[in-house]
Amino acid sequence: RRQKLSKKANKIAILGDCHFPYHNKKAFKAAMALIKAEKPTHVVQIGDLFDQYSFSRFNKKNLIQPMDELTQAKELAVDMWVSIRKALPKAKLYQILGNHDVRMIKRVEDKLPEAQDIFRRYLHELYTFTGVKTILDEREELVIGDIVFLHGYRSGRGDHMRYNRQSTVCGHSHVGGVVFEQYRGKTIFELNAGYLADEKSEPLKYRPQSSSKWTLGLGLIDENGPRFIPLGGI
């Protein structure tokens, strides 16, 4: 989905992986305050808005009933977008789906494939928000100007940029930062928006070590270029 980016509309804020309802409340609050202060013309949530821990294929604890988890996540997401829309009534808002956002569908595809269309319709309802353009196909990227936005699925820094051969914004790895390269005489970049989840919550404990290199924060693109804004010190 390609969107035009005019010269006047040159500030894009990118919210990283939230994993609602297992978000980091302090970091998320700081990210929301920063977005409202920066007054971007575009806001993109880069995917993994929900965690969908209840539908994980991995061994998990019975923390919460699936419907309760989805209800809590939806309420948090609605509040987020309502707050952003109220603060930035003229901004264009976009929601992208990540791999966690489609966990439910993947389980249905494995166990009851004939029902996947029914569950996908429900999934689309979950990720539909007033005034927000949602990219409902998790395989499809959003393009704003000459920048590709997608949740991501590659692990190496800069791999999405190299694959797309153009500037790319992603999430997924939870490690924020920017890398630059020259391609055919043009400088391109990959901006990873980091994450806004609570790494101490049970669903985020899938790491092989208790410590991690994950970085709380969000991404911003303006006339000065792309940057990652860390929020780990709050």
Side-chain angles (χ1 to χ4, degrees), residues 137-172:
D137 185 341
E138 66 275 13
R139 302 167 299 172
E140 185 177 352
E141 67 270 11
L142 168 71
V143 181
I144 303 177
D146 60 352
I147 305 171
V148 175
F149 295 77
L150 75 168
H151 176 66
Y153 54 95
R154 300 173 185 274
S155 57
R157 297 189 68 180
D159 282 353
H160 296 97
M161 165 189 69
R162 297 182 192 104
Y163 181 84
N164 293 325
R165 298 181 181 179
Q166 66 187 104
S167 295
T168 302
V169 178
C170 60
H172 186 61

mmCIF file of all heavy atoms in Angstrom, residues 137-172:
data_model
loop_
_atom_site.group_PDB
_atom_site.id
_atom_site.type_symbol
_atom_site.label_atom_id
_atom_site.label_comp_id
_atom_site.label_asym_id
_atom_site.label_seq_id
_atom_site.Cartn_x
_atom_site.Cartn_y
_atom_site.Cartn_z
ATOM 1 N N ASP A 137 -3.208 -7.893 5.826
ATOM 2 C CA ASP A 137 -2.419 -9.032 5.359
ATOM 3 C C ASP A 137 -1.026 -8.907 5.971
ATOM 4 O O ASP A 137 -0.283 -7.964 5.666
ATOM 5 C CB ASP A 137 -2.343 -9.036 3.831
ATOM 6 C CG ASP A 137 -1.641 -10.272 3.268
ATOM 7 O OD1 ASP A 137 -0.906 -10.937 4.020
ATOM 8 O OD2 ASP A 137 -1.831 -10.556 2.075
ATOM 9 N N GLU A 138 -0.668 -9.835 6.858
ATOM 10 C CA GLU A 138 0.606 -9.755 7.570
ATOM 11 C C GLU A 138 1.816 -9.857 6.629
ATOM 12 O O GLU A 138 2.937 -9.531 7.014
ATOM 13 C CB GLU A 138 0.699 -10.831 8.650
ATOM 14 C CG GLU A 138 0.737 -12.267 8.160
ATOM 15 C CD GLU A 138 -0.638 -12.866 7.911
ATOM 16 O OE1 GLU A 138 -1.643 -12.109 7.880
ATOM 17 O OE2 GLU A 138 -0.713 -14.104 7.774
ATOM 18 N N ARG A 139 1.604 -10.284 5.390
ATOM 19 C CA ARG A 139 2.701 -10.398 4.424
ATOM 20 C C ARG A 139 2.904 -9.105 3.629
ATOM 21 O O ARG A 139 3.891 -8.973 2.911
ATOM 22 C CB ARG A 139 2.417 -11.537 3.440
ATOM 23 C CG ARG A 139 2.226 -12.897 4.097
ATOM 24 C CD ARG A 139 1.639 -13.867 3.099
ATOM 25 N NE ARG A 139 0.326 -13.393 2.637
ATOM 26 C CZ ARG A 139 -0.368 -13.960 1.644
ATOM 27 N NH1 ARG A 139 0.138 -15.004 1.019
ATOM 28 N NH2 ARG A 139 -1.539 -13.478 1.289
ATOM 29 N N GLU A 140 1.984 -8.186 3.767
ATOM 30 C CA GLU A 140 2.009 -6.972 2.945
ATOM 31 C C GLU A 140 2.662 -5.814 3.683
ATOM 32 O O GLU A 140 2.406 -5.590 4.874
ATOM 33 C CB GLU A 140 0.582 -6.590 2.552
ATOM 34 C CG GLU A 140 0.494 -5.412 1.598
ATOM 35 C CD GLU A 140 -0.940 -5.118 1.191
ATOM 36 O OE1 GLU A 140 -1.827 -5.909 1.536
ATOM 37 O OE2 GLU A 140 -1.150 -4.089 0.524
ATOM 38 N N GLU A 141 3.504 -5.091 2.984
ATOM 39 C CA GLU A 141 4.161 -3.945 3.589
ATOM 40 C C GLU A 141 3.387 -2.664 3.287
ATOM 41 O O GLU A 141 2.589 -2.603 2.360
ATOM 42 C CB GLU A 141 5.592 -3.804 3.076
ATOM 43 C CG GLU A 141 5.716 -3.447 1.613
ATOM 44 C CD GLU A 141 5.770 -4.641 0.692
ATOM 45 O OE1 GLU A 141 5.495 -5.770 1.167
ATOM 46 O OE2 GLU A 141 6.062 -4.455 -0.510
ATOM 47 N N LEU A 142 3.654 -1.636 4.082
ATOM 48 C CA LEU A 142 3.146 -0.288 3.860
ATOM 49 C C LEU A 142 4.294 0.525 3.272
ATOM 50 O O LEU A 142 5.436 0.406 3.715
ATOM 51 C CB LEU A 142 2.684 0.315 5.183
ATOM 52 C CG LEU A 142 2.387 1.815 5.220
ATOM 53 C CD1 LEU A 142 1.114 2.128 4.441
ATOM 54 C CD2 LEU A 142 2.258 2.292 6.669
ATOM 55 N N VAL A 143 4.013 1.344 2.269
ATOM 56 C CA VAL A 143 5.035 2.206 1.691
ATOM 57 C C VAL A 143 4.568 3.656 1.816
ATOM 58 O O VAL A 143 3.489 4.014 1.337
ATOM 59 C CB VAL A 143 5.303 1.864 0.211
ATOM 60 C CG1 VAL A 143 6.409 2.773 -0.341
ATOM 61 C CG2 VAL A 143 5.688 0.396 0.051
ATOM 62 N N ILE A 144 5.358 4.466 2.477
ATOM 63 C CA ILE A 144 5.083 5.895 2.608
ATOM 64 C C ILE A 144 6.232 6.634 1.941
ATOM 65 O O ILE A 144 7.377 6.545 2.380
ATOM 66 C CB ILE A 144 4.939 6.328 4.075
ATOM 67 C CG1 ILE A 144 3.838 5.538 4.780
ATOM 68 C CG2 ILE A 144 4.662 7.823 4.168
ATOM 69 C CD1 ILE A 144 3.686 5.855 6.252
ATOM 70 N N GLY A 145 5.920 7.357 0.867
ATOM 71 C CA GLY A 145 6.977 7.985 0.092
ATOM 72 C C GLY A 145 7.852 6.916 -0.533
ATOM 73 O O GLY A 145 7.383 6.070 -1.279
ATOM 74 N N ASP A 146 9.141 6.910 -0.176
ATOM 75 C CA ASP A 146 10.049 5.877 -0.679
ATOM 76 C C ASP A 146 10.554 4.986 0.455
ATOM 77 O O ASP A 146 11.606 4.360 0.353
ATOM 78 C CB ASP A 146 11.229 6.520 -1.411
ATOM 79 C CG ASP A 146 12.043 7.453 -0.512
ATOM 80 O OD1 ASP A 146 11.608 7.714 0.630
ATOM 81 O OD2 ASP A 146 13.104 7.924 -0.958
ATOM 82 N N ILE A 147 9.774 4.893 1.541
ATOM 83 C CA ILE A 147 10.162 4.094 2.709
ATOM 84 C C ILE A 147 9.192 2.931 2.887
ATOM 85 O O ILE A 147 7.976 3.117 2.879
ATOM 86 C CB ILE A 147 10.181 4.951 3.988
ATOM 87 C CG1 ILE A 147 11.080 6.171 3.804
ATOM 88 C CG2 ILE A 147 10.657 4.121 5.180
ATOM 89 C CD1 ILE A 147 10.983 7.184 4.938
ATOM 90 N N VAL A 148 9.742 1.737 3.053
ATOM 91 C CA VAL A 148 8.943 0.537 3.289
ATOM 92 C C VAL A 148 8.790 0.328 4.792
ATOM 93 O O VAL A 148 9.763 0.395 5.545
ATOM 94 C CB VAL A 148 9.617 -0.707 2.663
ATOM 95 C CG1 VAL A 148 8.850 -1.975 3.022
ATOM 96 C CG2 VAL A 148 9.705 -0.562 1.155
ATOM 97 N N PHE A 149 7.564 0.036 5.216
ATOM 98 C CA PHE A 149 7.269 -0.276 6.615
ATOM 99 C C PHE A 149 6.721 -1.690 6.672
ATOM 100 O O PHE A 149 5.744 -2.016 5.997
ATOM 101 C CB PHE A 149 6.238 0.703 7.192
ATOM 102 C CG PHE A 149 6.719 2.123 7.284
ATOM 103 C CD1 PHE A 149 6.774 2.935 6.158
ATOM 104 C CD2 PHE A 149 7.121 2.657 8.499
ATOM 105 C CE1 PHE A 149 7.217 4.242 6.232
ATOM 106 C CE2 PHE A 149 7.559 3.969 8.588
ATOM 107 C CZ PHE A 149 7.611 4.762 7.452
ATOM 108 N N LEU A 150 7.332 -2.528 7.497
ATOM 109 C CA LEU A 150 6.840 -3.883 7.707
ATOM 110 C C LEU A 150 7.285 -4.352 9.079
ATOM 111 O O LEU A 150 8.240 -3.811 9.651
ATOM 112 C CB LEU A 150 7.338 -4.838 6.629
ATOM 113 C CG LEU A 150 8.794 -5.326 6.670
ATOM 114 C CD1 LEU A 150 8.998 -6.473 5.690
ATOM 115 C CD2 LEU A 150 9.793 -4.213 6.364
ATOM 116 N N HIS A 151 6.576 -5.351 9.617
ATOM 117 C CA HIS A 151 6.931 -5.812 10.954
ATOM 118 C C HIS A 151 8.332 -6.410 10.968
ATOM 119 O O HIS A 151 9.144 -6.104 11.838
ATOM 120 C CB HIS A 151 5.927 -6.847 11.457
ATOM 121 C CG HIS A 151 6.314 -7.410 12.791
ATOM 122 N ND1 HIS A 151 6.350 -6.643 13.933
ATOM 123 C CD2 HIS A 151 6.729 -8.662 13.154
ATOM 124 C CE1 HIS A 151 6.746 -7.386 14.955
ATOM 125 N NE2 HIS A 151 6.998 -8.606 14.510
ATOM 126 N N GLY A 152 8.603 -7.265 10.005
ATOM 127 C CA GLY A 152 9.925 -7.868 9.906
ATOM 128 C C GLY A 152 9.927 -9.348 10.244
ATOM 129 O O GLY A 152 9.083 -9.831 10.993
ATOM 130 N N TYR A 153 10.904 -10.038 9.694
ATOM 131 C CA TYR A 153 11.044 -11.468 9.937
ATOM 132 C C TYR A 153 12.491 -11.915 9.802
ATOM 133 O O TYR A 153 12.819 -13.077 10.055
ATOM 134 C CB TYR A 153 10.172 -12.260 8.955
ATOM 135 C CG TYR A 153 10.427 -11.913 7.502
ATOM 136 C CD1 TYR A 153 11.311 -12.666 6.736
ATOM 137 C CD2 TYR A 153 9.808 -10.810 6.909
ATOM 138 C CE1 TYR A 153 11.559 -12.336 5.417
ATOM 139 C CE2 TYR A 153 10.052 -10.490 5.584
ATOM 140 C CZ TYR A 153 10.922 -11.247 4.845
ATOM 141 O OH TYR A 153 11.177 -10.917 3.536
ATOM 142 N N ARG A 154 13.382 -11.012 9.431
ATOM 143 C CA ARG A 154 14.797 -11.314 9.308
ATOM 144 C C ARG A 154 15.529 -10.849 10.562
ATOM 145 O O ARG A 154 15.125 -9.879 11.204
ATOM 146 C CB ARG A 154 15.378 -10.637 8.064
ATOM 147 C CG ARG A 154 14.699 -11.080 6.774
ATOM 148 C CD ARG A 154 15.155 -10.276 5.574
ATOM 149 N NE ARG A 154 14.393 -10.648 4.393
ATOM 150 C CZ ARG A 154 14.704 -11.652 3.588
ATOM 151 N NH1 ARG A 154 15.788 -12.386 3.840
ATOM 152 N NH2 ARG A 154 13.960 -11.943 2.545
ATOM 153 N N SER A 155 16.604 -11.549 10.912
ATOM 154 C CA SER A 155 17.271 -11.278 12.186
ATOM 155 C C SER A 155 18.466 -10.337 12.077
ATOM 156 O O SER A 155 18.810 -9.654 13.037
ATOM 157 C CB SER A 155 17.726 -12.601 12.825
ATOM 158 O OG SER A 155 18.580 -13.315 11.938
ATOM 159 N N GLY A 156 19.117 -10.299 10.933
ATOM 160 C CA GLY A 156 20.308 -9.467 10.797
ATOM 161 C C GLY A 156 19.981 -7.999 10.605
ATOM 162 O O GLY A 156 19.028 -7.650 9.897
ATOM 163 N N ARG A 157 20.757 -7.125 11.222
ATOM 164 C CA ARG A 157 20.520 -5.692 11.088
ATOM 165 C C ARG A 157 20.786 -5.273 9.650
ATOM 166 O O ARG A 157 21.848 -5.540 9.092
ATOM 167 C CB ARG A 157 21.409 -4.914 12.047
ATOM 168 C CG ARG A 157 21.128 -5.207 13.510
ATOM 169 C CD ARG A 157 21.872 -4.260 14.422
ATOM 170 N NE ARG A 157 21.365 -2.902 14.306
ATOM 171 C CZ ARG A 157 21.844 -1.864 15.000
ATOM 172 N NH1 ARG A 157 22.867 -2.046 15.817
ATOM 173 N NH2 ARG A 157 21.332 -0.673 14.865
ATOM 174 N N GLY A 158 19.826 -4.630 9.051
ATOM 175 C CA GLY A 158 19.958 -4.173 7.677
ATOM 176 C C GLY A 158 19.475 -5.167 6.643
ATOM 177 O O GLY A 158 19.426 -4.853 5.449
ATOM 178 N N ASP A 159 19.098 -6.387 7.069
ATOM 179 C CA ASP A 159 18.702 -7.418 6.106
ATOM 180 C C ASP A 159 17.434 -7.051 5.339
ATOM 181 O O ASP A 159 17.312 -7.358 4.151
ATOM 182 C CB ASP A 159 18.487 -8.764 6.824
ATOM 183 C CG ASP A 159 19.798 -9.450 7.153
ATOM 184 O OD1 ASP A 159 20.855 -8.953 6.712
ATOM 185 O OD2 ASP A 159 19.775 -10.479 7.861
ATOM 186 N N HIS A 160 16.464 -6.407 6.017
ATOM 187 C CA HIS A 160 15.234 -6.015 5.323
ATOM 188 C C HIS A 160 15.514 -4.923 4.288
ATOM 189 O O HIS A 160 14.974 -4.933 3.187
ATOM 190 C CB HIS A 160 14.188 -5.522 6.324
ATOM 191 C CG HIS A 160 13.731 -6.578 7.282
ATOM 192 N ND1 HIS A 160 14.259 -6.702 8.539
ATOM 193 C CD2 HIS A 160 12.801 -7.563 7.150
ATOM 194 C CE1 HIS A 160 13.666 -7.718 9.157
ATOM 195 N NE2 HIS A 160 12.794 -8.253 8.341
ATOM 196 N N MET A 161 16.357 -3.987 4.664
ATOM 197 C CA MET A 161 16.751 -2.911 3.745
ATOM 198 C C MET A 161 17.426 -3.489 2.502
ATOM 199 O O MET A 161 17.132 -3.083 1.369
ATOM 200 C CB MET A 161 17.699 -1.954 4.478
ATOM 201 C CG MET A 161 18.475 -0.989 3.613
ATOM 202 S SD MET A 161 19.743 -0.107 4.585
ATOM 203 C CE MET A 161 20.898 -1.453 4.950
ATOM 204 N N ARG A 162 18.312 -4.444 2.711
ATOM 205 C CA ARG A 162 19.035 -5.041 1.576
ATOM 206 C C ARG A 162 18.093 -5.850 0.699
ATOM 207 O O ARG A 162 18.231 -5.856 -0.528
ATOM 208 C CB ARG A 162 20.179 -5.902 2.097
ATOM 209 C CG ARG A 162 21.227 -5.100 2.865
ATOM 210 C CD ARG A 162 22.393 -5.936 3.336
ATOM 211 N NE ARG A 162 23.187 -5.159 4.285
ATOM 212 C CZ ARG A 162 23.159 -5.338 5.598
ATOM 213 N NH1 ARG A 162 22.398 -6.294 6.121
ATOM 214 N NH2 ARG A 162 23.885 -4.580 6.388
ATOM 215 N N TYR A 163 17.155 -6.534 1.307
ATOM 216 C CA TYR A 163 16.197 -7.317 0.525
ATOM 217 C C TYR A 163 15.302 -6.390 -0.304
ATOM 218 O O TYR A 163 15.051 -6.638 -1.489
ATOM 219 C CB TYR A 163 15.341 -8.177 1.447
ATOM 220 C CG TYR A 163 14.339 -9.044 0.708
ATOM 221 C CD1 TYR A 163 14.704 -10.274 0.189
ATOM 222 C CD2 TYR A 163 13.032 -8.601 0.518
ATOM 223 C CE1 TYR A 163 13.791 -11.066 -0.499
ATOM 224 C CE2 TYR A 163 12.115 -9.382 -0.178
ATOM 225 C CZ TYR A 163 12.495 -10.612 -0.674
ATOM 226 O OH TYR A 163 11.587 -11.382 -1.370
ATOM 227 N N ASN A 164 14.811 -5.327 0.317
ATOM 228 C CA ASN A 164 13.918 -4.389 -0.373
ATOM 229 C C ASN A 164 14.662 -3.443 -1.308
ATOM 230 O O ASN A 164 14.051 -2.838 -2.195
ATOM 231 C CB ASN A 164 13.136 -3.552 0.652
ATOM 232 C CG ASN A 164 12.171 -4.385 1.457
ATOM 233 O OD1 ASN A 164 11.576 -5.334 0.965
ATOM 234 N ND2 ASN A 164 12.010 -4.034 2.738
ATOM 235 N N ARG A 165 15.968 -3.273 -1.068
ATOM 236 C CA ARG A 165 16.792 -2.347 -1.838
ATOM 237 C C ARG A 165 16.270 -0.922 -1.740
ATOM 238 O O ARG A 165 16.389 -0.122 -2.679
ATOM 239 C CB ARG A 165 16.896 -2.800 -3.304
ATOM 240 C CG ARG A 165 17.568 -4.156 -3.457
ATOM 241 C CD ARG A 165 17.676 -4.580 -4.900
ATOM 242 N NE ARG A 165 18.309 -5.894 -4.997
ATOM 243 C CZ ARG A 165 18.522 -6.532 -6.149
ATOM 244 N NH1 ARG A 165 18.144 -5.964 -7.298
ATOM 245 N NH2 ARG A 165 19.090 -7.718 -6.164
ATOM 246 N N GLN A 166 15.697 -0.613 -0.595
ATOM 247 C CA GLN A 166 15.271 0.749 -0.300
ATOM 248 C C GLN A 166 15.118 0.912 1.197
ATOM 249 O O GLN A 166 15.122 -0.067 1.954
ATOM 250 C CB GLN A 166 13.976 1.096 -1.025
ATOM 251 C CG GLN A 166 12.747 0.326 -0.600
ATOM 252 C CD GLN A 166 11.555 0.621 -1.486
ATOM 253 O OE1 GLN A 166 11.184 -0.181 -2.327
ATOM 254 N NE2 GLN A 166 10.940 1.782 -1.286
ATOM 255 N N SER A 167 15.005 2.142 1.636
ATOM 256 C CA SER A 167 14.896 2.417 3.069
ATOM 257 C C SER A 167 13.705 1.682 3.671
ATOM 258 O O SER A 167 12.622 1.651 3.087
ATOM 259 C CB SER A 167 14.767 3.921 3.303
ATOM 260 O OG SER A 167 15.945 4.587 2.908
ATOM 261 N N THR A 168 13.928 1.086 4.849
ATOM 262 C CA THR A 168 12.937 0.202 5.455
ATOM 263 C C THR A 168 12.859 0.447 6.953
ATOM 264 O O THR A 168 13.880 0.648 7.616
ATOM 265 C CB THR A 168 13.301 -1.273 5.194
ATOM 266 O OG1 THR A 168 13.390 -1.503 3.780
ATOM 267 C CG2 THR A 168 12.273 -2.219 5.792
ATOM 268 N N VAL A 169 11.634 0.412 7.476
ATOM 269 C CA VAL A 169 11.397 0.494 8.915
ATOM 270 C C VAL A 169 10.785 -0.823 9.366
ATOM 271 O O VAL A 169 9.860 -1.333 8.725
ATOM 272 C CB VAL A 169 10.457 1.665 9.266
ATOM 273 C CG1 VAL A 169 10.181 1.686 10.767
ATOM 274 C CG2 VAL A 169 11.061 2.986 8.824
ATOM 275 N N CYS A 170 11.285 -1.368 10.471
ATOM 276 C CA CYS A 170 10.791 -2.661 10.952
ATOM 277 C C CYS A 170 10.798 -2.701 12.472
ATOM 278 O O CYS A 170 11.192 -1.751 13.144
ATOM 279 C CB CYS A 170 11.647 -3.800 10.387
ATOM 280 S SG CYS A 170 13.390 -3.707 10.856
ATOM 281 N N GLY A 171 10.339 -3.817 13.005
ATOM 282 C CA GLY A 171 10.377 -4.105 14.433
ATOM 283 C C GLY A 171 10.896 -5.518 14.596
ATOM 284 O O GLY A 171 11.940 -5.874 14.109
ATOM 285 N N HIS A 172 10.134 -6.331 15.317
ATOM 286 C CA HIS A 172 10.326 -7.781 15.421
ATOM 287 C C HIS A 172 11.486 -8.201 16.315
ATOM 288 O O HIS A 172 11.306 -9.022 17.211
ATOM 289 C CB HIS A 172 10.485 -8.400 14.029
ATOM 290 C CG HIS A 172 10.545 -9.901 14.036
ATOM 291 N ND1 HIS A 172 9.508 -10.678 14.497
ATOM 292 C CD2 HIS A 172 11.520 -10.765 13.641
ATOM 293 C CE1 HIS A 172 9.835 -11.957 14.379
ATOM 294 N NE2 HIS A 172 11.052 -12.031 13.877
#
